[in-house]
Amino acid sequence: MKSSLDDVLFEEWLPRRWHSEQEEARFLSQLPAVKSGAWVVVDDYRAGADFQRHLYARGVKQCHFVPPSVEGVLAEVAICTNPAVLALDYSRLLTVPGGVFLAGADYAVLRQSFQKVGPARQRRELNCLLMTFGGGDDRGAVKLAASALDVPFMSSLNVIIVSGQGNPRNSSNAGLLRRLQYLNAEYVVQPENFVDLLGKADLAVMAAGTTCYEAARMGLPMLLCSIADNQVSQGAAFERLGCAKYLGEFEQLAPQALQETVMHLMSDPSQLASMSLSASRVVDGNGAKRIAAVISQQMRSSL
């Protein structure tokens, strides 16, 4: 889906329905810019081995964002931002001579609004809680978490629930909030000022997806749950880094566990401050620059 930001980032936008790995590789390789030597940067789970082989056979230079479960990469540069991944463990999966594997949150690519913010605000008191489970279907996570936190001690907190336009549960979620007794929450869909909302919050209850990197950039402590299989290792990794508590898969999340964790952080500002400081050290917003520098070096090496 094209956004206003895409008009700024891209000279040309080509809407296209996915057909197959071979067909998409063929289409890309025929674009004038690619035929003239431009690199292809790919962030799509469907672009697997066949896609990579077809582009490589045509001499196209590739940079791929890959999941921790990847079993092989035929690209000059591969990137996995999951903090659980170590480059030394994955470099052997690169089959292109001289290829580079970039691993960890140092290579997280953030939206421009997050790159431009100043030093992260350090949280020392819990007054505002933000809840979000991605831009698509929250799979019932908002209902589960909001219902669990509809308890008396939450009435003193300002709560903001952020959802995307693509969430089919927006209407039912908003209806649920009107029926809750103690949780006084604002339901916001596709906000333009998401960076400001993260900056305002003192704690986030959220899915362990890509938004974690934006929250970390803002120094925001996190309570994480996984709503997809690929979020499990990432949630656990953010907990090991000290900036989050990983509560497990959302379907198995016990309401009492979420209540007790929030209550503990309300009564222990020192731990909230420690998590906030750790978060601000995980992501600095310079991931895109680091990746660009590596690609530039690869381009010079190939001359």
Side-chain angles (χ1 to χ4, degrees):
M1 181 181 296
K2 187 177 183 181
S3 68
S4 58
L5 180 60
D6 294 319
D7 289 326
V8 177
L9 293 178
F10 302 108
E11 294 181 6
E12 186 177 6
W13 181 271
L14 302 174
R16 181 172 172 81
R17 185 185 300 275
W18 182 276
H19 294 89
S20 68
E21 291 189 50
Q22 295 184 18
E23 175 59 24
E24 297 312 303
R26 186 201 64 78
F27 172 78
L28 280 174
S29 66
Q30 293 303 310
L31 292 176
V34 176
K35 294 177 72 173
S36 298
W39 278 51
V40 171
V41 179
V42 182
D43 186 6
D44 193 316
Y45 68 93
R46 297 168 297 186
D50 285 346
F51 178 94
Q52 296 165 22
R53 278 196 296 270
H54 278 76
L55 285 184
Y56 185 74
R58 291 167 172 79
V60 178
K61 304 295 185 181
Q62 305 172 64
C63 172
H64 278 262
F65 287 83
V66 298
S69 58
V70 66
E71 296 180 353
V73 189
L74 190 63
E76 282 70 23
V77 177
I79 306 162
C80 183
T81 59
N82 188 314
V85 170
L86 298 177
L88 288 177
D89 295 336
Y90 281 75
S91 295
R92 59 183 173 78
L93 301 178
L94 280 172
T95 54
V96 173
V100 178
F101 196 100
L102 307 178
D106 281 345
Y107 299 99
V109 178
L110 307 184
R111 289 176 281 186
Q112 288 184 330
S113 55
F114 289 93
Q115 297 177 36
K116 295 177 180 178
V117 297
R121 176 175 69 88
Q122 298 304 301
R123 276 62 169 187
R124 295 180 174 84
E125 187 177 20
L126 179 48
N127 296 306
C128 179
L129 183 145
L130 182 141
M131 188 184 302
T132 184
F133 297 96
D137 190 346
D138 68 52
R139 298 181 58 199
V142 167
K143 179 180 179 180
L144 186 153
S147 299
L149 293 177
D150 186 33
V151 289
F153 77 85
M154 287 295 298
S155 61
S156 63
L157 291 185
N158 177 22
V159 179
I160 304 169
I161 301 178
V162 179
S163 181
Q165 288 179 342
N167 187 358
R169 303 172 194 263
N170 283 332
S171 179
S172 60
N173 286 342
L176 168 70
L177 296 182
R178 289 192 292 269
R179 298 191 298 272
L180 297 181
Q181 183 176 0
Y182 301 106
L183 191 73
N184 183 21
E186 177 185 7
Y187 196 80
V188 184
V189 178
Q190 209 70 36
E192 294 184 359
N193 63 332
F194 188 50
V195 62
D196 298 326
L197 296 180
L198 288 181
K200 177 182 178 181
D202 302 305
L203 178 68
V205 176
M206 59 193 299
T210 56
T211 309
C212 290
Y213 300 100
E214 296 177 336
R217 174 67 183 92
M218 303 302 293
L220 182 59
M222 296 169 271
L223 302 184
L224 301 175
C225 65
S226 52
I227 64 172
D229 292 343
N230 62 359
Q231 296 179 356
V232 174
S233 65
Q234 183 156 288
F238 273 104
E239 180 173 45
R240 289 194 296 272
L241 291 170
C243 56
K245 299 290 185 183
Y246 178 56
L247 304 178
E249 299 178 25
F250 94 93
E251 297 98 331
Q252 310 301 323
L253 179 60
Q256 185 177 356
L258 180 57
Q259 296 165 9
E260 291 177 350
T261 306
V262 174
M263 184 180 294
H264 174 71
L265 290 174
M266 289 179 70
S267 62
D268 188 357
S270 63
Q271 183 169 13
L272 192 72
S274 175
M275 292 171 67
S276 180
L277 181 60
S278 295
S280 65
R281 290 172 173 171
V282 171
V283 178
D284 61 9
N286 294 318
K289 292 180 180 179
R290 293 188 180 96
I291 294 171
V294 171
I295 292 177
S296 296
Q297 178 60 45
Q298 290 289 89
M299 293 174 70
R300 289 192 294 270
S301 299
S302 64
L303 295 178

